[in-house]
Amino acid sequence: MRRAVVFLLTLYASVPVILHLFPWILGYFIYAHLLRIPFSVDLGRPENVLNHTCNFYLDTEEGISVGVWHTLPANQWEGATGRGPEWYRETLGDGRPVIIYLHGNTGTRAIHHRVELVKILSAAGYHVMSLDYRGFGDSSGEPSEAGLTHDALYLYHWVKKQSGGNLVCLWGHSLGTGVATNAALKAQEQGSMVDAVVLEAPYTSIGEVVANHPLTKMYMFFPGFERLVWNVMEKNNIEFPNDKNLKTLTSSILILHSEDDKIIPHHMGQKLYQISLQTQKEHNKDVEVQMVSYSANLGYSHDNIYLDPNLSDVVEKFLQKLKQ
């Protein structure tokens, strides 16, 4: 018993030392990309989990190939039987909105709650592009903030070119919200304003999420541990600053957040909403900025907002206003 206690205390005390000596470990913790679940799904055969979905790959830069699923609007399924990637690509010009789904950490584009959301968006009449960033799923390379942002921005420009100027929306969930606002801000700086950005369970900055994590809180009474965490974040060049980005981004914004979110506190979404309202006011922009909060009684937590039976109506009304 005594040996076990000594071992656990030694292990506990060694974590800050390991983090200091091997700062790259935090990056693996944040991205969790090596957990390529679900293991049973062949990402090259999306039809096993999603109807009328085509898998393809984009070379976002030299040596980097990322996997993408293109799911058709449900009302196009009848004409899709037997069609290949070229036909799918041509359908992007049919005038219907395209949603680029940027998922959170851990796993692949085939995780259950991601697939279920895509089904809802497809049934609502949208094209959905589900991206596995570099290092995730069957995509090559190693993840980094700059790399994930580049992959999302590349896909955005590719979709814009294929769709002929149709409405394109970036939808980020959890970690993906930082990817979405990073990419949207870069597009804005390049003179290509993203039509809309949906932030599902968003955070202010990834550093605040790490600081709020239960494992991190176990060490907060260690002298200098919080500073160590922030220094390690800087060494890894990981920031994903949604709060900073939204102080400049003037795209239309829809925020979805559950009050019982245990991973990213609901108050972070509220703060981002207030920042976006202030930004539109300062820039004198007449664009949509909305937030939908879900009661804790619903039990949607961090991953299950797709269970909202009115979600497709919320999205439709939001996007409809952008066309007016």
Side-chain angles (χ1 to χ4, degrees):
M1 181 67 178
R2 183 179 177 183
R3 287 182 178 180
V5 171
V6 171
F7 172 76
L8 290 174
L9 288 175
T10 302
L11 180 63
Y12 173 74
S14 68
V15 169
V17 177
I18 293 172
L19 195 57
H20 174 72
L21 295 175
F22 308 102
W24 51 268
I25 289 177
L26 186 60
Y28 279 81
F29 171 77
I30 289 172
Y31 296 119
H33 59 291
L34 298 182
L35 294 173
R36 300 188 177 184
I37 52 178
F39 304 112
S40 59
V41 176
D42 180 355
L43 296 174
R45 299 178 59 83
E47 62 271 17
N48 292 333
V49 292
L50 274 171
N51 288 324
H52 298 93
T53 297
C54 175
N55 178 67
F56 66 100
Y57 300 91
L58 289 176
D59 296 328
T60 57
E61 60 184 37
E62 186 175 355
I64 300 296
S65 175
V66 298
V68 185
W69 284 352
H70 175 189
T71 303
L72 292 173
N75 52 18
Q76 289 194 1
W77 289 1
E78 187 174 342
T81 304
R83 303 288 188 171
E86 185 68 29
W87 182 86
Y88 271 75
R89 186 160 58 248
E90 290 175 356
T91 65
L92 291 171
D94 64 5
R96 299 184 182 278
V98 182
I99 295 177
I100 296 175
Y101 179 64
L102 305 170
H103 65 65
N105 71 349
T106 311
T108 71
R109 55 196 186 275
I111 280 184
H112 178 73
H113 69 266
R114 296 167 186 169
V115 169
E116 292 305 308
L117 175 64
V118 172
K119 288 179 181 178
I120 290 168
L121 296 175
S122 170
Y126 308 121
H127 293 271
V128 187
M129 317 295 288
S130 304
L131 167 69
D132 265 331
Y133 325 101
R134 63 187 66 196
F136 286 78
D138 55 352
S139 300
S140 62
E142 288 292 324
S144 66
E145 178 169 354
L148 269 61
T149 300
H150 181 84
D151 295 341
L153 187 61
Y154 187 97
L155 178 57
Y156 165 76
H157 286 306
W158 185 87
V159 168
K160 268 295 188 184
K161 183 178 179 181
Q162 304 299 325
S163 67
N166 293 337
L167 190 150
V168 178
C169 170
L170 297 180
W171 184 307
H173 171 244
S174 193
L175 176 70
T177 63
V179 180
T181 64
N182 275 355
L185 187 56
K186 284 191 175 294
Q188 180 173 295
E189 292 168 350
Q190 295 169 358
S192 178
M193 183 72 68
V194 173
D195 298 305
V197 178
V198 178
L199 303 176
E200 180 188 357
Y203 47 85
T204 46
S205 73
I206 201 69
E208 293 190 5
V209 176
V210 172
N212 188 69
H213 195 278
L215 290 177
T216 307
K217 287 183 175 181
M218 289 172 57
Y219 290 90
M220 280 308 179
F221 58 85
F222 269 56
F225 184 78
E226 186 171 2
R227 183 65 258 172
L228 171 64
V229 170
W230 287 102
N231 285 341
V232 170
M233 298 282 291
E234 291 176 8
K235 288 181 181 179
N236 282 279
N237 293 313
I238 300 175
E239 186 179 11
F240 291 109
N242 279 327
D243 47 4
K244 285 185 187 176
N245 291 343
L246 292 183
K247 289 179 180 178
T248 307
L249 187 62
T250 55
S251 296
S252 293
I253 304 289
L254 171 62
I255 296 174
L256 308 171
H257 213 145
S258 181
E259 293 176 355
D260 65 332
D261 192 328
K262 301 297 191 298
I263 306 298
I264 300 175
H266 178 256
H267 68 77
M268 289 191 180
Q270 290 178 310
K271 183 175 181 179
L272 295 178
Y273 175 59
Q274 293 302 322
I275 290 173
S276 290
L277 288 175
Q278 185 62 30
T279 299
Q280 310 311 326
K281 183 178 179 180
E282 290 176 356
H283 288 80
N284 196 28
K285 292 286 186 176
D286 185 23
V287 299
E288 286 297 312
V289 176
Q290 298 180 19
M291 179 171 183
V292 178
S293 295
Y294 294 94
S295 170
N297 295 333
L298 295 170
Y300 294 163
S301 189
H302 186 65
D303 292 331
N304 300 319
I305 285 176
Y306 74 88
L307 293 173
D308 172 20
N310 299 313
L311 182 59
S312 58
D313 291 336
V314 170
V315 176
E316 181 181 5
K317 290 177 181 177
F318 172 68
L319 296 181
Q320 195 66 41
K321 290 181 180 179
L322 307 187
K323 299 178 183 179
Q324 295 175 355

